[in-house]
Amino acid sequence: MKLPASLFRYREAKAEDLPFILDAWIRSFRNSPFGRTLTDEAYRQIQSEAVTQILQVASVLVVCLADDPDCIIGFVCHGKTKEGFTLIHYIYVKHSYRNAGLAQQLVTRIK
């Protein structure tokens, strides 16, 4: 399902976005093989610490609605390796917007 590009806006994450990014990342990773082996409490603690550490050194690009820049649809958390290669830590798009090419657009817009 391809949606018109004019519906979306891409921008760097702001401090106000971090609670959504942290929560979406932790919740969406819960069903991974790693996440399924832990209790809810242990999983949340371990993931919160890990994601918080990554967010302190990485960059985050978000996609939001063009007419509501505070309504985040998805994000990509990325950085650079010592060799200068792009490293994607995590990419997320809300379920209702998946298969619309937004993840691909996020990746192509990483600087």
Side-chain angles (χ1 to χ4, degrees):
M1 151 185 83
K2 197 70 168 167
L3 297 171
S6 61
L7 291 177
F8 306 104
R9 177 179 162 209
Y10 299 84
R11 61 173 175 78
E12 293 299 317
K14 306 180 287 189
E16 301 84 40
D17 301 331
L18 293 181
F20 170 83
I21 292 166
L22 182 63
D23 185 62
W25 189 334
I26 291 170
R27 281 187 300 108
S28 66
F29 195 67
R30 180 66 173 120
N31 292 324
S32 72
F34 168 75
R36 287 190 298 255
T37 63
L38 300 170
T39 65
D40 285 340
E41 184 178 329
Y43 170 79
R44 193 137 186 90
Q45 180 182 353
I46 292 168
Q47 281 302 103
S48 291
E49 290 172 7
V51 172
T52 299
Q53 287 179 359
I54 292 169
L55 290 172
Q56 290 174 355
V57 297
S59 298
V60 180
L61 180 67
V62 302
V63 57
C64 51
L65 295 176
D67 61 354
D68 186 359
D70 293 326
C71 182
I72 298 172
I73 303 302
F75 63 88
V76 60
C77 179
H78 61 96
K80 294 281 186 188
T81 66
K82 291 177 185 176
E83 297 81 14
F85 296 105
T86 298
L87 172 66
I88 295 177
H89 296 285
Y90 204 70
I91 191 162
Y92 170 83
V93 175
K94 287 182 178 179
H95 283 281
S96 56
Y97 291 91
R98 291 186 184 167
N99 299 313
L102 296 176
Q104 182 178 9
Q105 285 297 313
L106 283 164
V107 170
T108 61
R109 292 169 188 265
I110 292 174
K111 296 179 182 177

